[in-house]
Amino acid sequence: MGIGREELLLMGLQRYRDCVLMHRGHSLYESEVHPSVVSAFMGNTYRGRSYFMHPASYAEWIEKTGMDMLYAYVPWPLGRQSTVDKWGVINWQNGFFTEHDLVKHAPYETLRRRLDGICAVKKDWGIEWAVYSAPMILIDAMDMERFMFFMCDEPVKMTDRLNRIHEKVCLELEIIMEYPVDVVQISQLLGDKNGQICNDEQMEQYQFRYLAEHIQHIRARGKIAALHCDGKLDKLYPRFVEMGIHIINGYDSTKFASDLKKWGNQIAMRGSISMNALYTMTPGEMRLEVQKAKALPSHVVGSTHNFPEVNPALFAAMVDEFNQ
């Protein structure tokens, strides 16, 4: 790589902050990479989701890749069953929710242990911590079809469920705020490839009220407020700006360049490399993609969602070309 270890450590959070808050320069960040790719890059076998790695190994991973942020997330088990694939990746099967699940506590102790471990290896990198909002947790727990059904036919019961989960999410956020976490990412399902998942009134009642409260809380504590949401969201950008979201990961990747030029000075964006392209491109084509990305206005370079099980040389080409 063109950048040495000490130079990378000096960049870290500052490069990310300049990119997201000042809209200046570019940052490199990939929150989840398939273990086959991690293993090949690190020269050692790793199993499970990359953000579940032992903190010391995760710090080594960040250092070797030249990425600026450590990423962590402790998933809720609400309404979920799980299977484990050959790589040790937990694949959650959603839709097993029962009313009794609402009385269960969130995994607060697991959260604290992971926070302690990640913060111990922080150095000069930033830490981004992901939190699922109440609507996201309940959609996973019930599945989308049942969620939409109850939202339309039993709005009082739906609101009660969301509020009860929201109280626990707010406590989760308070725990996170006790630690030197730099960015809090709210994960929320707001759209699909066709646009927002429900009408404007429903978006405000069942989605935005929770998201806006979280964003206000995160900003009040001096943290960077991020949103991760897959789908075609360009019509929602004005609302995101109004809420005060600093950076978003999740949009129609075919419109990334035009959206970035139009909105990039009001809300930072992450993920210029299309997931679809990752399955067909060569390492040489990846280098060209990174060159194109660095020629665009300021943004955080990475995939539009995560780095899947593909040729590991693609990931090596991405980080090497970025760090030239």
Side-chain angles (χ1 to χ4, degrees):
M1 290 185 183
I3 295 178
R5 176 180 180 277
E6 294 302 320
E7 292 173 285
L8 289 173
L9 291 179
L10 288 173
M11 288 181 179
L13 177 61
Q14 189 57 53
R15 182 166 70 175
Y16 182 88
R17 290 181 63 87
D18 284 350
C19 179
V20 173
L21 300 180
M22 306 299 293
H23 307 292
R24 183 173 61 203
H26 296 85
S27 178
L28 178 66
Y29 179 37
E30 195 73 65
S31 57
E32 182 177 354
V33 180
H34 193 274
S36 64
V37 177
V38 175
S39 298
F41 189 88
M42 296 284 282
N44 201 354
T45 300
Y46 290 89
R47 293 175 57 80
R49 294 177 182 268
S50 58
Y51 55 79
F52 286 158
M53 293 169 69
H54 185 278
S57 297
Y58 195 69
E60 182 184 359
W61 160 250
I62 296 298
E63 182 176 321
K64 285 187 174 182
T65 60
M67 291 191 289
D68 297 329
M69 304 294 291
L70 298 98
Y71 172 86
Y73 162 55
V74 174
W76 284 35
L78 185 73
R80 283 179 156 186
Q81 295 183 7
S82 62
T83 59
V84 179
D85 68 15
K86 66 179 182 179
W87 280 100
V89 175
I90 298 173
N91 295 292
W92 286 285
Q93 299 174 344
N94 305 326
F96 296 92
F97 170 80
T98 66
E99 293 296 330
H100 179 70
D101 288 323
L102 289 174
V103 304
K104 296 178 182 178
H105 291 292
Y108 299 130
E109 290 308 312
T110 304
L111 175 68
R112 287 187 183 278
R113 287 195 298 271
R114 188 62 178 170
L115 278 160
D116 288 337
I118 291 295
C119 289
V121 299
K122 176 178 169 60
K123 297 184 182 179
D124 290 326
W125 298 300
I127 296 177
E128 176 169 308
W129 206 277
V131 175
Y132 273 28
S133 65
M136 184 78 227
I137 291 171
L138 196 52
I139 287 171
D140 274 355
M142 299 179 70
D143 78 40
M144 175 62 80
E145 184 177 2
R146 289 176 65 201
F147 181 89
M148 298 296 285
F149 174 84
F150 279 101
M151 184 180 70
C152 296
D153 289 8
E154 298 191 37
V156 174
K157 181 178 286 189
M158 175 59 76
T159 299
D160 176 65
R161 287 170 172 167
L162 288 171
N163 288 343
R164 291 167 69 182
I165 298 172
H166 181 66
E167 289 179 4
K168 297 180 180 182
V169 175
C170 288
L171 179 54
E172 180 184 15
L173 270 175
E174 278 301 319
I175 293 171
I176 294 166
M177 296 301 179
E178 298 171 8
Y179 289 79
V181 170
D182 305 285
V183 184
V184 180
Q185 173 191 282
I186 303 298
S187 296
Q188 195 155 333
L189 182 58
L190 303 174
D192 59 20
K193 65 180 181 180
N194 298 311
Q196 64 189 53
I197 59 174
C198 49
N199 63 44
D200 291 344
E201 181 180 351
Q202 291 168 330
M203 291 295 283
E204 292 293 338
Q205 182 175 355
Y206 299 108
Q207 297 276 2
F208 288 156
R209 59 182 294 191
Y210 303 102
L211 178 59
E213 182 178 333
H214 291 325
I215 298 303
Q216 183 179 21
H217 186 191
I218 294 164
R219 290 184 61 115
R221 298 295 291 270
K223 314 285 188 182
I224 293 175
L227 172 66
H228 177 86
C229 178
D230 309 322
K232 181 177 170 58
L233 304 176
D234 50 315
K235 290 184 178 179
L236 300 178
Y237 288 164
R239 189 71 174 92
F240 294 158
V241 171
E242 180 184 349
M243 286 185 203
I245 294 169
H246 289 112
I247 178 169
I248 179 174
N249 174 212
Y251 22 69
D252 180 359
S253 61
T254 62
K255 294 175 72 273
F256 181 86
S258 59
D259 285 348
L260 178 63
K261 291 173 182 176
K262 182 176 180 180
W263 294 98
N265 285 326
Q266 298 181 68
I267 186 167
M269 295 182 179
R270 172 161 72 90
S272 50
I273 299 172
S274 168
M275 283 284 292
N276 290 334
L278 286 174
Y279 291 99
T280 59
M281 69 169 58
T282 65
E285 289 169 337
M286 170 61 83
R287 289 184 177 276
L288 291 176
E289 281 297 306
V290 174
Q291 292 171 19
K292 291 176 184 177
K294 291 172 73 174
L296 292 172
S298 178
H299 69 281
V300 179
V301 177
S303 70
T304 52
H305 184 71
N306 57 34
F307 212 95
E309 186 176 11
V310 293
N311 181 0
L314 288 180
F315 186 82
M318 181 181 76
V319 299
D320 186 62
E321 186 64 34
F322 183 89
N323 287 312
Q324 290 296 327

